[in-house]
Amino acid sequence: MCGIIGYTGPLDSKRILLEGLSQLEYRGYDSAGVALCMENSRIRLIRHTGKVSNLKEGCRKIAETSHCGLGHTRWATHGGVTTENTHPHQAGRITLVHNGIIENYHQLTLDFHLEGKLQSETDSEVAAWVLESLYEGRPLEAISKFVSYLKGSYSFCMMFEDHPGEIYAIRSISPLVAAYTRSGSFVASDLTALIPYTKQYFVVPENHIVRLTSYKVHLYDLHQKETIPEMMEVSWNTDAAMKNGFPHFMLKEIHEQPEALKNTILPRMVRGLPDFTDDQIPDSILEQCSQIHIVACGTAMHAGMVARALMEPLLRIPVTVSIASEFRYEEPLIDSKTLVIVISQSGETIDTLAALRLAKSYGASTLSVVNVKGSTIARESDYVLFTHAGPEIAVASTKAYSVQLAALYMVCCRMALVRGAYGHEEAENFMKELLDAIPAMEAMIEKRDSVKALVTHLINEPDAFFIGRGLDYAFSLEGALKLKEISYIHAEAYAAGELKHGTIALITDQVPVIAIGTQKKVFAKTISNIREVKARGAFIILLVGENSPVEDGIADVIIPIPEVDDRFAVFPVVVILQLIAYYASVGKNLDVDQPRNLAKSVTVE
Ligand code: M6R
């Protein structure tokens, strides 16, 4: 939810921290701050509400140099958006930044008699005082004791006043990566902050302490025994996390989808068939399960809804989709014959992680579809299918969704093959259709100007509705989420036939209805539903196969979709839905990449 960074080394830490925070800003942008260890070992705090740009402005006046410091960009949880609640927090000799939630902060306040000491409303400052109370001049020992008092999720970066030039860090659940480079030592919430300096990094293992000096990064377990980190290499370069001439990350990421799909699909195709040998996913888990349960949040859950509509009729086994935050508190009907598929771009969404852990406790096989290597969900799943979208920076997910779909379509095809629902030829045809969806997406990206022109019908309206049947309904869910999260237009997705059971009361003159009619089996029914809303004055934008028979006057705007097999229509359709949301946000002059109240990865409940 928040982005944290620590640096110590020969370079100007203020510059490095501010640049790193700009890269991490997508994780939260309510306020930002840095703590700089100055040459006289004094620690200076600079904190500002609002975006990192405000902090940068506030740091301009600082002339002194510093070679060690911490930075934080906040998504507010405990306490409002105020300077006092902005990190870093200081407690006596301790300065720290925190990502996560300390659930027992209230009890800790009482146990450590902290009332009267606290300057902020945050759980993080409580944690800082707890650490200060336990500190006797030996940071490793104090941190080991400190974490034994904490309940919740956290990653902390800490400085101890009497250990200038050193940074300590620890994590439980919340992510943290670290690296030693020629430019110094780094620790951060994610790789985007490190990538300008190195390709070699390690994921800080849970409940391990990192100590950064300007010469080395050390890793210790909680008994203070030094251990060797497992080094990893980043597969993408700095460019991947830059806008590269696009006005927004979201537009860039929409354009990257065809390439991301190829990167996800092609390495896993052997003689025209999906093959997960290199991913070490055995056919047995696909062959022997008696049901599939898909669990995820937000856009990832919508990818699961599409997968369900595809898989169940083909595989003839029950496929259920659950919202992870609900699933984790249910008593799900799953067992060792269930394949639980967990979907997450970040691999760190807390509800999805908890759902994964619950599924494992029931003995289910777990397969995760994850974009971020080394993430907690990837590490804890029995099997992982990594998507190759590269870094997704815009808060609104676009390319992550389409590659999740590509991965799930391949799983579906492999399952059909190993379970006998498909012969080789049918499976090959399925994969061919999947690949054909890529140029169809490219064609839709080329239509961006016509989408841009049509959003004038949306941007002054308070509401919009997305309707469709079958797979088209599953696509609609994602269209509505995209529109509302970045344009703030209230949008709802409805199964087209369900509208008349209540919601049609909201359809009045010029209310925009985005109707999706790509599924031939139910096309005539969808058209009837469109007529129903048209008769009430709705403004209809219809997405339909370019060869589908559409009578005059049924829609106000028609967006023809290239003719692909119905099951693959999501790939071109979603591009249009993303572009509608994108241009609506641009048309309303909103912050496309960093919409209000949101953060990229939701690592708190
Ligand atoms: O990282 P995850 O895929 O687990 O994230 C799940 C959702 O938080 C995410 O898809 C969210 O709904 C997107 N911002 C929507 O665009």
Side-chain angles (χ1 to χ4, degrees):
M1 274 348 265
C2 300
I4 64 178
I5 180 167
Y7 168 77
T8 180
L11 306 182
D12 173 16
S13 65
K14 182 182 69 173
R15 181 180 61 78
I16 297 216
L17 296 173
L18 292 175
E19 278 169 9
L21 288 178
S22 298
Q23 294 298 323
L24 295 170
E25 193 172 25
Y26 73 96
R27 302 178 66 87
Y29 32 85
D30 287 329
S31 64
V34 289
L36 304 174
C37 180
M38 298 304 186
E39 278 181 338
N40 56 6
S41 299
R42 192 174 52 88
I43 291 175
R44 183 158 176 190
L45 287 193
I46 305 107
R47 305 185 296 180
H48 284 265
T49 54
K51 296 203 164 197
V52 173
S53 53
N54 292 359
L55 174 66
K56 284 186 175 164
E57 199 50 45
C59 284
R60 265 176 202 271
K61 306 164 213 121
I62 298 171
E64 293 166 86
T65 45
S66 152
H67 298 286
C68 176
L70 307 175
H72 187 276
T73 179
R74 178 170 188 246
W75 187 79
T77 52
H78 281 63
V81 180
T82 63
T83 310
E84 293 71 34
N85 291 337
T86 301
H87 299 222
H89 290 289
Q90 272 185 321
R93 295 157 295 173
I94 311 296
T95 305
L96 61 71
V97 290
H98 168 220
N99 172 29
I101 284 199
I102 305 303
E103 287 165 5
N104 58 335
Y105 78 99
H106 183 62
Q107 193 57 47
L108 292 171
T109 308
L110 301 177
D111 294 350
F112 284 82
H113 310 292
L114 303 179
E115 305 90 341
K117 284 187 174 169
L118 301 172
Q119 308 286 313
S120 75
E121 305 156 282
T122 65
D123 52 340
S124 315
E125 191 196 354
V126 171
W129 280 109
V130 171
L131 180 57
E132 163 63 23
S133 311
L134 300 169
Y135 184 51
E136 290 172 345
R138 290 177 297 281
L140 292 178
E141 194 182 297
I143 295 168
S144 301
K145 275 195 220 155
F146 167 58
V147 293
S148 70
Y149 286 94
L150 305 180
K151 289 203 175 90
S153 61
Y154 50 82
S155 49
F156 287 105
C157 292
M158 299 152 278
M159 291 195 293
F160 294 80
E161 188 186 79
D162 47 354
H163 287 256
E166 289 187 2
I167 288 173
Y168 291 79
I170 186 151
R171 69 174 278 247
S172 174
I173 304 179
S174 304
L176 212 51
V177 292
Y180 172 68
T181 76
R182 283 196 203 132
S183 310
S185 304
F186 294 79
V187 60
S189 297
D190 78 45
L191 273 176
T192 48
L194 309 190
I195 207 86
Y197 308 97
T198 185
K199 289 206 152 199
Q200 313 286 332
Y201 70 101
F202 66 92
V203 175
V204 177
E206 285 198 84
N207 301 313
H208 279 66
I209 304 170
V210 183
R211 180 165 74 95
L212 309 185
T213 68
S214 43
Y215 307 105
K216 197 149 193 257
V217 175
H218 302 266
L219 183 68
Y220 305 89
D221 66 16
L222 289 181
H223 304 292
Q224 296 142 58
K225 186 169 168 278
E226 187 154 4
T227 62
I228 308 291
E230 189 188 321
M231 296 308 291
M232 300 176 80
E233 185 155 334
V234 195
S235 53
W236 38 270
N237 56 25
T238 328
D239 270 13
M242 301 290 189
K243 285 189 196 148
N244 294 342
F246 285 93
H248 300 100
F249 279 111
M250 184 180 177
L251 190 61
K252 174 183 174 241
E253 289 160 7
I254 290 171
H255 278 72
E256 284 172 345
Q257 292 180 104
E259 209 48 42
L261 246 76
K262 285 181 208 158
N263 293 340
T264 301
I265 299 169
L266 295 177
R268 298 183 168 113
M269 274 185 76
V270 176
R271 285 185 286 281
L273 296 173
D275 187 304
F276 302 126
T277 313
D278 289 349
D279 302 287
Q280 294 168 1
I281 300 171
D283 281 342
S284 57
I285 64 152
L286 307 178
E287 197 181 345
Q288 286 158 14
C289 63
S290 59
Q291 62 162 334
I292 297 172
H293 208 115
I294 301 175
V295 194
C297 299
T299 288
M301 191 270 293
H302 292 162
M305 295 288 284
V306 175
R308 192 204 72 80
L310 177 82
M311 286 172 162
E312 203 169 67
L314 178 59
L315 304 174
R316 309 302 304 159
I317 52 171
V319 182
T320 315
V321 182
S322 289
I323 297 169
S325 55
E326 291 295 313
F327 177 89
R328 63 180 290 188
Y329 295 112
E330 287 167 354
E331 289 169 32
L333 283 172
I334 57 173
D335 55 22
S336 58
K337 296 280 282 173
T338 308
L339 174 63
V340 171
I341 302 181
V342 164
I343 312 168
S344 176
Q345 186 285 128
S346 60
E348 61 175 82
T349 301
I350 194 82
D351 288 320
T352 312
L353 174 62
L356 167 72
R357 288 177 175 169
L358 182 72
K360 288 181 84 169
S361 75
Y362 276 69
S365 298
T366 55
L367 167 65
S368 62
V369 176
V370 173
N371 195 42
V372 178
K373 290 208 175 111
S375 58
T376 313
I377 290 175
R379 292 167 90 85
E380 292 197 14
S381 306
D382 297 328
Y383 306 99
V384 193
L385 200 49
F386 283 110
T387 52
H388 297 299
E392 191 182 62
I393 309 288
V395 165
S397 193
T398 53
K399 60 178 178 172
Y401 173 79
S402 46
V403 293
Q404 283 160 356
L405 287 173
L408 293 164
Y409 272 57
M410 291 184 81
V411 169
C412 177
C413 183
R414 185 79 202 169
M415 282 184 98
L417 188 64
V418 298
R419 298 173 76 96
Y422 270 171
H424 274 223
E425 202 180 320
E426 286 161 302
E428 268 170 29
N429 285 340
F430 182 99
M431 290 308 294
K432 206 178 135 314
E433 301 280 3
L434 179 60
L435 291 174
D436 284 350
I438 297 175
M441 285 184 110
E442 282 162 350
M444 293 297 92
I445 291 170
E446 290 311 310
K447 288 204 175 183
R448 58 189 170 267
D449 287 341
S450 47
V451 176
K452 186 177 178 181
L454 76 82
V455 298
T456 48
H457 301 288
L458 281 173
I459 56 178
N460 296 318
E461 299 296 328
D463 307 297
F465 293 87
F466 289 73
I467 61 170
R469 285 172 175 256
L471 272 165
D472 285 333
Y473 168 55
F475 315 159
S476 303
L477 293 167
E478 180 56 7
L481 175 62
K482 276 300 81 86
L483 185 66
K484 67 187 137 191
E485 73 178 320
I486 59 168
S487 77
Y488 315 149
I489 296 169
H490 163 240
E492 281 192 58
Y494 260 86
E498 180 65 11
L499 213 63
K500 57 183 156 306
H501 296 284
T503 308
I504 202 163
L506 299 174
I507 304 294
T508 53
D509 204 27
Q510 295 304 300
V511 168
V513 173
I514 293 105
I516 309 178
T518 67
Q519 301 300 300
K520 293 187 189 64
K521 199 166 116 191
V522 285
F523 180 68
K525 304 288 173 197
T526 305
I527 293 292
S528 306
N529 299 135
I530 294 172
R531 275 204 197 93
E532 289 159 9
V533 284
K534 184 82 187 129
R536 271 102 193 151
F539 184 89
I540 310 287
I541 298 169
L542 174 60
L543 279 63
V544 68
E546 58 197 7
N547 299 333
S548 288
V550 181
E551 59 199 78
D552 285 350
I554 195 83
D556 298 279
V557 177
I558 294 180
I559 304 184
I561 304 294
E563 288 295 346
V564 292
D565 179 292
D566 289 5
R567 292 167 303 173
F568 300 87
V570 66
F571 295 99
V573 164
V574 79
V575 172
I576 298 294
L577 300 178
Q578 294 163 350
L579 288 170
I580 288 175
Y582 173 77
Y583 284 116
S585 181
V586 172
K588 292 181 80 173
N589 211 11
L590 298 172
D591 191 339
V592 176
D593 287 336
Q594 295 179 344
R596 73 182 174 213
N597 304 342
L598 293 176
K600 183 71 183 164
S601 27
V602 184
T603 54
V604 292
E605 273 197 64

